[in-house]
Amino acid sequence: MPRAHRPPVRDAAGPGLDAAAAGRRRQPPDHHRRRPPPERWQVGALLVLVAIAFEPVTGNVEEGQVNLVLLGLSGIWFWAWARGRWWGGVALGAAIAIKLIQGPVALLVLWRRRWAMLAAAAASGLIMWLVGAPQYLFEYLFRVLPAVSAGTGFFENHSPGGTITRLFDPNTFIAVRGSPGGARALTAVIAVAVLIVTFAVVRATRDRSLEAAAVVAATPLIATYSWGTHLVLLLLPMLVLIAWSLPRRDWLVMALVATSWILIGPVHKLLQALLVTGYADVAVLRILAEAGVVGIALLWIATLVAVRRSAHRLDPADQHGAEKEEHDGARKDDAVPAVTVRAV
């Protein structure tokens, strides 16, 4: 008896298997998967190493400067600012009373209308001026302050005013004297431009830590002079940016901070060593002298990049989150249907 013809068996599981294969193809390879962020103790250890190895820190210790006290007061103000506490103004006012280089930070307090903190800063600074050394207050306001505001092209001045003065009068490289009128005017224009750009960028963010870091990083670009030991105050924005960028793996910000750290620290130390040994190539010395202002500018740019990415959710962490949501959505859409097997 002839065998009955059987139709070919159709693989009913084919579409399901194809969908599963497509889902597997969309899975990122193992070497592309993001590693977990560094532990908090690892970030903390890095911050400590960055701080103690920073050349302006050792410079202040060796020279017995008061700038480390200012750094501590700046840290107290920053702690209070990030948490919305008014009492940080006491530390800010004390720091400004000691050295006016931190004066631009008060503009942030005014900009954000933190009136209680502003009043505390004004009261603290005024009390320190009147109680600390009232006999020198008149001399400081009417003799010392105008002389300091005149700027200088001395190689230790890392502000834009120092660079501009050295361009106008190269002989000021090794002489502490006031800047020419044209250099002062151009320095003032740059200071105003830095202020406008900084506040135009920070107004869009709600991250108090980053906006504070941006204003502190801008202060040496606004001041008429910024000695090498003054730059220890830039540790605050450096540490803030490192703590912000490491978990997000924002390598651009990290690279800018690292380059700034090198230019302000080791490169400036190299300049000092060459001057002590009597190195005579003025062109090389001039290039090394401008490394400081370049490092300050890079740090300022790094803060603005971080603020902008944080405000507009453009940092790598947010981008990774968006990609993960998209990938999870694709996996959900490609869910493998139930596989039916036809009995033969």
Side-chain angles (χ1 to χ4, degrees), residues 55-56 63 152-159 162-163 166 172-176 224-231 264 268-269 271-273 275 289-290 292-293 296:
E55 193 275 334
E63 299 179 18
T152 177
F154 191 57
F155 69 89
E156 276 288 350
N157 186 5
H158 299 287
S159 71
T163 299
R166 289 189 286 270
T172 59
F173 182 77
I174 54 174
V176 182
T224 55
Y225 78 102
S226 298
W227 249 231
T229 51
H230 294 165
L231 301 185
I264 295 173
H268 177 62
K269 194 66 175 180
L271 170 64
Q272 292 178 325
L275 288 170
E290 309 310 330
V293 69
I296 296 170

Side-chain angles (χ1 to χ4, degrees), residues 77-96:
W77 166 79
F78 174 78
W79 183 276
W81 176 265
R83 286 155 181 77
R85 306 297 184 182
W86 65 268
W87 46 261
V90 177
L92 177 61
I96 296 175

Side-chain angles (χ1 to χ4, degrees), residues 160-161 164 183-196 221-222 300:
I164 295 170
R184 295 184 195 180
L186 189 53
T187 300
V189 171
I190 292 176
V192 173
V194 169
L195 278 174
I196 292 175
L221 301 176
I222 300 169
W300 175 61

Side-chain angles (χ1 to χ4, degrees), residues 249-294:
R249 289 181 170 81
D250 195 322
W251 304 123
L252 173 60
V253 173
M254 284 294 298
L256 290 173
V257 174
T259 306
S260 172
W261 189 92
I262 293 172
L263 292 176
I264 295 173
V267 174
H268 177 62
K269 194 66 175 180
L270 175 61
L271 170 64
Q272 292 178 325
L274 292 177
L275 288 170
V276 170
T277 58
Y279 187 77
D281 193 333
V282 178
V284 174
L285 295 176
R286 288 291 304 274
I287 293 174
L288 293 177
E290 309 310 330
V293 69
V294 174

